[in-house]
Amino acid sequence: MRLLTALHDAEDTPRTVTASGESVSRHELLGRASALAESLRGVPVAAVDATAGLPTIVAITAGLLAGVPIVPVPPDAGTTERAHILRDSGAAVLLSDGPSGDLPTMAITRPGVSGSVPPEPDAGTPALILYTSGTTGPPKGVVVSRAAIAADLDALAEAWQWTAGDTLVHGLPLYHVHGLVLGVLGPLRIGSPLVHTGKPTPDAYARARGSLYFGVPTVWSRVCAMPDAARELRSARLLVSGSAPLPVPVFEELTTLTGQAPVERYGMTETLITVSARHDGPRRAGHVGVPVRGVETRLVDDAGVPLENDGATIGQLQVRGATLFDGYLGHGSALTDGWFTTGDVATIGADGWHRIVGRASTDLIKTGGYRVGAGEVEDALLLHPAVREAAVIGTAHADLGEQVTAFVVTDGPVPEKELIDFVAQRLAAHKRPRVVNLVAELPRNAMGKVQKSRLRPS
């Protein structure tokens, strides 16, 4: 079966792809991409400046048609990051409609030109090389196969009852799993029209009139801050949140304003989306659901011994299944007996429901012999009426080993003791912050994730 099944459907006249205001039918997209695919023959790896527009979608589609691995380069990447990605990936050309001094350039847009559709590449062929955020060193290239993408999109279509009758709306970047694999390749496989809003603003989402919306927590928080725009989404079938934990207050407010609880899901670049709530099942604030079809999960302790799924025990989350990557470029497989250690810590209930505590390196705080999940403390802080944002980390403490330290953005001055006591009334005493830092904003990356490595106690 072809990876981009719906793209090859000749009877697609009403099905469109819209990006930043420009629309084409799937047939037109296939023609443009096929022309570029002919020029890509023999190219080992191609990069594209992944701006949020139709040319990026054409370029990535062309690479998939030609069986050439595509490297999406973040348009806001700094010079050092950009140079590393282009050099490390081995990209031979840069797909772009503008000049570039980095690599030989191949034009994307070719008016009036179309080409014959190449034969379908082997399912095991690398499709994308996606670069990690580089929080523990230089960004690493994650090699994702066509088979992994197809398996994940089919599993999500089942979990969300995502069909050609949906219209997908989002404004997410086109160089991550969320915005690119789910948000672009999903519609091209499943057949649903796509409306990419350029930027994920509440007004743009409200005007789009879709049935399926993708957003990160920052997007949904901003939607909730504009109640009139949020109410325009009441006709949507599913609101999906991912890429970072959705704060419980945002979950609850979005539910009230739109009339439906959002669907949360969990994944990462190396695994694609592995855990999700279902279209016809419960949605639980602070939880991300159960494994999708073809995926297994388990918790292990620091020695790699499997732990009990009791909903309380915190362990390192491991994943295996058809959606996993082929390995890091130049480093081979990162799997042990088929299992990938995600670096995240979680709990799993007896019913299979997962709660992601956070990154093992920053969100699992070992204090006075206790293991405290940063997310639980953050959710408690966010219940305070004056707190708009919260991030919790462990910082060195001579007696406890680590102490729970909070960084909060508030609507006005709030005494530190008030916030500490507020948490202590809701959680076990050892989970309360020992220190609370009031800050003007939290450092975030392009996907809205808080960059905790940049938090420094005052």
Side-chain angles (χ1 to χ4, degrees):
M1 179 184 291
R2 295 181 183 272
L3 171 58
L4 305 180
T5 309
L7 182 66
H8 301 271
D9 181 1
E11 299 179 2
D12 73 329
T13 304
R15 305 296 185 188
T16 60
V17 176
T18 300
S20 298
E22 184 181 2
S23 296
V24 294
S25 71
R26 292 203 306 268
H27 181 72
E28 292 170 320
L29 174 60
L30 180 61
R32 294 191 192 187
S34 296
L36 181 54
E38 287 188 350
S39 298
L40 280 171
R41 290 176 182 171
V43 173
V45 178
V48 60
D49 284 320
T51 55
L54 193 59
T56 297
I57 296 175
V58 171
I60 291 170
T61 303
L64 293 174
L65 291 176
V68 174
I70 294 292
V71 183
V73 181
D76 60 349
T79 55
T80 300
E81 179 185 4
R82 179 184 177 85
H84 168 75
I85 291 173
L86 294 177
R87 181 179 62 253
D88 185 74
S89 67
V93 298
L94 180 69
L95 305 179
S96 175
D97 283 334
S100 172
D102 300 300
L103 290 172
T105 301
M106 185 178 292
I108 298 170
T109 304
R110 304 172 180 211
V113 177
S114 62
S116 58
V117 179
E120 181 72 4
D122 182 80
T125 303
L128 299 170
I129 303 175
L130 303 173
Y131 275 78
T132 62
S133 58
T135 54
T136 58
K140 291 181 288 189
V142 175
V143 182
V144 183
S145 72
R146 304 171 71 86
I149 291 172
D152 200 50
L153 293 176
D154 290 349
L156 292 175
E158 176 184 270
W160 300 341
Q161 203 171 2
W162 182 4
T163 72
D166 282 303
T167 294
L168 172 63
V169 177
H170 73 91
L172 301 174
L174 301 185
Y175 48 89
H176 288 298
V177 168
H178 198 168
L180 174 56
V181 176
L182 276 62
V184 173
L185 304 188
L188 296 183
R189 182 169 179 82
I190 294 164
S192 56
L194 165 64
V195 178
H196 190 284
T197 59
K199 294 184 178 180
T201 64
D203 283 341
Y205 274 34
R207 291 193 302 268
R209 303 294 181 182
S211 63
L212 177 61
Y213 285 79
F214 290 167
V216 298
T218 301
V219 171
W220 297 124
S221 177
R222 291 172 180 172
V223 166
C224 289
M226 297 182 64
D228 288 344
R231 293 187 188 99
E232 291 294 328
L233 304 184
R234 294 182 74 90
S235 61
R237 190 177 64 79
L238 284 183
L239 309 177
V240 180
S241 183
S243 297
L246 185 67
V248 171
V250 177
F251 180 102
E252 293 174 344
E253 190 171 8
L254 192 62
T255 302
T256 299
L257 290 170
T258 66
Q260 63 167 302
V263 165
E264 292 193 69
R265 88 301 181 281
Y266 166 80
M268 55 194 309
T269 307
E270 292 90 340
T271 67
L272 303 183
I273 308 307
T274 52
V275 177
S276 180
R278 299 300 198 264
H279 73 96
D280 58 352
R283 292 111 189 243
R284 303 176 187 173
H287 293 72
V288 294
V290 299
V292 301
R293 175 165 51 87
V295 170
E296 297 176 78
T297 63
R298 70 179 183 183
L299 300 178
V300 299
D301 63 17
D302 293 341
V305 177
L307 296 170
E308 184 179 2
N309 292 350
D310 59 8
T313 301
I314 297 175
Q316 295 200 43
L317 180 63
Q318 293 186 329
V319 176
R320 72 177 176 186
T323 70
L324 268 61
F325 70 139
D326 290 342
Y328 295 111
L329 189 66
H331 298 278
S333 176
L335 309 183
T336 302
D337 295 328
W339 292 97
F340 176 70
T341 301
T342 64
D344 287 323
V345 287
T347 66
I348 303 177
D351 57 1
W353 270 75
H354 291 54
R355 179 174 66 86
I356 306 301
V357 174
R359 298 298 291 170
S361 57
T362 57
D363 294 310
L364 181 60
I365 303 167
K366 298 177 182 179
T367 177
Y370 293 100
R371 295 158 67 92
V372 176
E376 186 179 18
V377 183
E378 290 162 359
D379 285 342
L381 284 164
L382 287 167
L383 294 174
H384 191 285
V387 174
R388 288 194 288 116
E389 297 180 80
V392 170
I393 61 173
T395 57
H397 189 277
D399 179 45
L400 300 172
E402 286 186 303
Q403 66 179 2
V404 179
T405 301
F407 296 78
V408 297
V409 180
T410 64
D411 289 325
V414 183
E416 178 184 22
K417 186 176 185 303
E418 179 179 330
L419 294 176
I420 292 172
D421 291 345
F422 184 83
V423 174
Q425 292 168 9
R426 287 158 177 79
L427 303 178
H430 66 269
K431 296 181 180 179
R432 73 189 187 281
R434 298 276 176 155
V435 176
V436 175
N437 299 273
L438 299 183
V439 295
E441 61 181 9
L442 299 177
R444 296 180 182 274
N445 64 14
M447 292 298 288
K449 292 183 181 180
V450 175
Q451 296 179 298
K452 292 192 174 183
S453 62
R454 294 171 55 189
L455 294 173
R456 297 288 184 270
S458 58

